[in-house]
Structure formats: structure tokens, C-alpha cells
Amino acid sequence: MEWTQAQRAKKMNPSVIREILKVTEKPGIISFAGGLPSPKTFPIAAFSAACEKVLREDGHAALQYAASEGYAPLRELVAAMLPWDVDPAQVLITTGSQQGLDLLAKVLIDAGSRVLVETPTYLGALQAFTPMEPDIVGVASDEGGVDLADLAAKAAGARFFYVLPNFQNPTGRTMPESRRAALSAEAARLGLPLVEDNPYGDLWFDSPPPLPLTARNPEGCVYLGSFSKVLAPGLRLGFMVAPKAIFPKLLQAKQAADLHSPGFNQRMVAEVMKDGFLDRHVPTIRALYRSQRDAMLAAMKRDMPEGVQWNTPAGGMFLWVRLPEGMNAIDLLPKAVERNVAFVPGWAFYADHADPRTLRLSFVTSSVEQINIGIGALASAIREQQAALVPAEV
């Protein structure tokens, strides 16, 4: 039997990160590759109690089909926790925020449509957008986020600009207030919709990030959030807040995709959240991740050879590294794996004009001891590659 695949199927590619994660199955490997939250942060006791209560008091409804929009009390809780006036009717519960990206792609992108993204950007967004066959264009970005002049130069005809202002994946950078205000004003002037993805915004270390872009212009933005980083990724629950102009079509796309996200999981999350649990729980995550970030920064400063550059993220889960001139992170990876340490080469996060010298390190799933050993091993691999680049004396 010969199966004829759709043209869009040819655009689908395996996740580079998922492929690299297979390496971490090797015994003894220290992985800085995956963007997985630390399992130490999962509130198992709270979910155990919520599970029992939901089944005891609302079991039949929890195990039945449910509304596609999501569980009403959870939508209300989401609306209430956001820092602008949100109508719960504009909240759509999704099967992880990744589904939100997929729904947006189906509703907003035609073949050949221009879509703008930061440079670099979240790999999962590129995966979600690419099957719809858009023209994905990277907008120049610096430590403060998007370059507004380059955005204006590329905005004509774009369906939207996808942006992660808080502790961005992969770079860990945060867009300051001045840039957010300017971006919001410029997007409104250009008539350019914004898709704001904020899975890491609660994971700040010293002070909370500035007000979301969506709060400044709710009718010109779609906002994506997730419970994966503050509760547990295995729940597969996220949410989106969408303007009324496109909410009905996003809902129809959701109905076609999976009818609804797991109603039992939604009820458990609502039960856990209802008494202010996140206000008590999330600070414990911040404290853990800050200690791990500090350990990785100290190890980088101690062990890395001259010419290696890295940033100091103010929150989130990632460090962004740039190798010295002439080096390539893809070539470095097997040398690192030989030393039992893994990372993600940065090229996968670029829509175009990838920088081969970049790589992403996640600091949240390794102990301080593992961080010290792993960074030392990575530094050793970098030195080996550097030495191989030096011409032999004649």
C-alpha cells in the first residue's frame, strides 16, 4: 500500500531537542539540553488531595466530555490572575500552550503568509507554524529584545509578530519596560498583531518583569500561558487569551483538534489554585532555580576558556552561550557527549541566518554538583575544539 502524504507533511520536522534528549538516556549523562522543569517542584501532595476531592465530589462530570472552551471555574481563575482586565469568556484552555501555537497557525496563516519572529526564537513555535507553509522572517534582536526599526522594515503584510518578552526561550533575555512600551506603540501604528508567549513570566529571581504587551493593547494581541512551569508539564494544560474578533475561530480549531483539554486535569488544577496555592508555591520554584542559575554562572566564570560569552538571565530556565570565533556548536556537541554532558546547539532556534556559535544551557534539572561537573566537562570539550582549530606549526 502506497500512502500519499499532504504537501504540508513534508514541512514537518522532528524536534531537534527531542532528538537530543535521546542522548540523555545514556547512563551518566548530565543534560543541560531539555527545557524540562525540575521534578522537585511538582506539588504531588497538593495534586493527590485535589485528585481525591475531585473524584469524590465531582467524579462523574470530571470524567465526562466537557466544554471546548474549558472548565468555567478555571477560566475565571486564569482571568483573575492576569494583570489586566480579562473577560473569562476570552480565555480558552488548551492542551499545553504548544496547542495554542498550533491553533493560531491554523487560524491565522495561509501558505506564503509572512510571519515575524524574534532572532532567535522558540523552536516549538517554528515547528507549529512551518506546516502551514508561511514565510517565517526573523527580526533582528538584541539583549533588550526586538529591533523596532527592523520590525518596521519587515512588517508589511505580516500576519503577526511572535514574541516572548519574559526570560525568553532560548536566550533567557527579558524585554525592558521602555522597549515594551515602544513595541506596543509601534505594533499599533503598523497594524501588526502580536502573539505574546509567556510560559516563564512567573519564574523571576529578583523582581517581576514589566507589564505584559497584551495588557497595553488587548485587542491587538493574543496571550499564551502555561501551567507546565508552575505546576507540572504532564498535566498538558495551558491557556490563551484572545480578542473577540478571532476567539470563535480559535475555538472551532480547538474543537476540531481534540474536542476539549482533559476535564479531570482542569478540575484538579482549579482545585489546587483556588486558595492562592500558586502564591505560596511559585516562590519555592524561584528560589531553587535562582540557586541553580547562580551555580552555573559561577562554574562558567571559573571554568570557561577565554572567548566564550554568556548572559545572566533574571529569571526562567536558560543560559545563552556564544562560542569563540571559528567554532561551531554542532561540531562541539559530540565532543561534549563523549564527556557525558549535553546541550542544544543554537542554530535550531533561528528562522534564518542562524549563528552556528550559539548554544542553550538549561540549569534547572541538574544539581549544583552536576552543574559543576557538567560545565567543567563542557569547558574541556571547548578547549579541545579550540586546539583543533589552531594551525599546526610548520
Side-chain angles (χ1 to χ4, degrees):
M1 176 68 68
E2 182 175 347
W3 294 86
T4 302
Q5 298 184 14
Q7 289 298 309
R8 73 178 67 89
K10 297 178 182 178
K11 303 287 185 178
M12 297 177 182
N13 294 304
S15 167
V16 173
I17 297 175
R18 297 296 165 190
E19 293 300 310
I20 290 174
L21 283 178
K22 294 177 183 178
V23 173
T24 66
E25 297 174 2
K26 175 184 173 183
I29 199 83
I30 295 173
S31 177
F32 301 138
L36 285 68
S38 171
K40 294 179 181 179
T41 68
F42 300 163
I44 294 172
F47 275 114
S48 178
C51 177
E52 190 278 332
K53 185 174 181 181
V54 167
L55 287 175
R56 173 167 42 84
E57 297 184 358
D58 203 20
H60 290 95
L63 299 176
Q64 184 56 278
Y65 285 115
S68 299
E69 294 89 336
Y71 182 49
L74 182 58
R75 298 169 74 200
E76 291 166 3
L77 286 166
V78 168
M81 75 182 187
L82 296 173
W84 73 97
D85 187 18
V86 175
D87 182 351
Q90 291 179 255
V91 176
L92 178 64
I93 302 299
T94 57
T95 306
S97 61
Q98 185 69 26
Q99 185 185 54
L101 295 171
D102 180 70
L103 300 180
L104 284 164
K106 291 173 179 174
V107 169
L108 298 179
I109 298 174
D110 289 313
S113 299
R114 173 166 287 208
V115 170
L116 304 181
V117 298
E118 296 172 284
T119 300
T121 191
Y122 171 49
L123 171 61
L126 297 177
Q127 280 191 289
F129 301 157
T130 296
M132 297 299 107
E133 303 181 348
D135 175 23
I136 304 178
V137 178
V139 179
S141 306
D142 58 25
E143 275 302 304
V146 60
D147 180 317
L148 296 177
D150 197 48
L151 179 72
K154 295 173 177 176
R159 295 293 173 91
F160 59 84
F161 174 44
Y162 172 72
V163 58
L164 298 95
N166 297 327
F167 322 125
Q168 193 228 32
N169 183 358
T171 65
R173 68 190 176 208
T174 299
M175 190 180 297
E177 169 60 31
S178 58
R179 189 76 63 94
R180 294 181 195 227
L183 171 57
S184 183
E186 182 69 357
R189 184 188 73 81
L190 295 168
L192 176 65
L194 300 179
V195 172
E196 180 177 17
D197 198 357
N198 188 30
Y200 309 101
D202 289 322
L203 304 181
W204 48 269
F205 299 149
D206 296 313
S207 59
L211 199 65
L213 296 164
T214 308
R216 304 156 200 264
N217 182 18
E219 294 308 305
C221 302
V222 172
Y223 182 89
L224 299 172
S226 175
F227 295 109
S228 293
K229 309 305 186 292
V230 296
L231 287 175
L235 297 167
R236 302 314 304 133
L237 287 181
F239 60 89
M240 59 197 313
V241 180
K244 293 178 181 178
I246 62 169
F247 187 95
K249 286 300 175 184
L250 290 168
L251 177 59
Q252 291 168 22
K254 167 73 175 173
Q255 291 168 342
D258 64 359
L259 301 183
H260 63 85
S261 298
F264 176 68
N265 292 8
Q266 292 185 61
R267 280 171 164 79
M268 280 206 303
V269 169
E271 179 63 31
V272 167
M273 286 178 60
K274 70 179 184 181
D275 294 323
F277 175 80
L278 288 180
D279 294 335
R280 302 186 299 273
H281 177 62
V282 174
T284 67
I285 304 176
R286 294 182 192 131
L288 175 64
Y289 288 0
R290 179 175 180 171
S291 69
Q292 292 167 304
R293 179 207 62 174
D294 290 348
M296 183 169 281
L297 289 173
M300 296 285 288
K301 184 176 181 180
R302 181 185 65 240
D303 295 335
M304 283 297 161
E306 185 176 352
V308 179
Q309 301 171 332
W310 61 90
N311 62 343
T312 300
M317 298 166 56
F318 306 111
L319 219 66
W320 190 238
V321 181
R322 194 162 190 251
L323 299 171
E325 186 72 37
M327 294 188 66
N328 187 309
I330 297 175
D331 295 336
L332 176 66
L333 182 59
K335 299 182 186 303
V337 171
E338 288 174 5
R339 291 167 169 80
N340 290 325
V341 63
F343 61 84
V344 180
W347 69 268
F349 299 97
Y350 290 83
D352 46 38
H353 303 100
D355 184 347
R357 293 163 58 187
T358 56
L359 59 96
R360 191 193 75 179
L361 302 177
S362 173
F363 49 80
V364 302
T365 54
S366 301
S367 67
V368 170
E369 180 183 12
Q370 288 172 323
I371 288 171
N372 286 326
I373 295 170
I375 293 300
L378 179 59
S380 175
I382 291 172
R383 288 191 179 91
E384 179 187 338
Q385 191 178 35
Q386 277 185 305
L389 294 173
V390 177
E393 294 185 6
V394 178

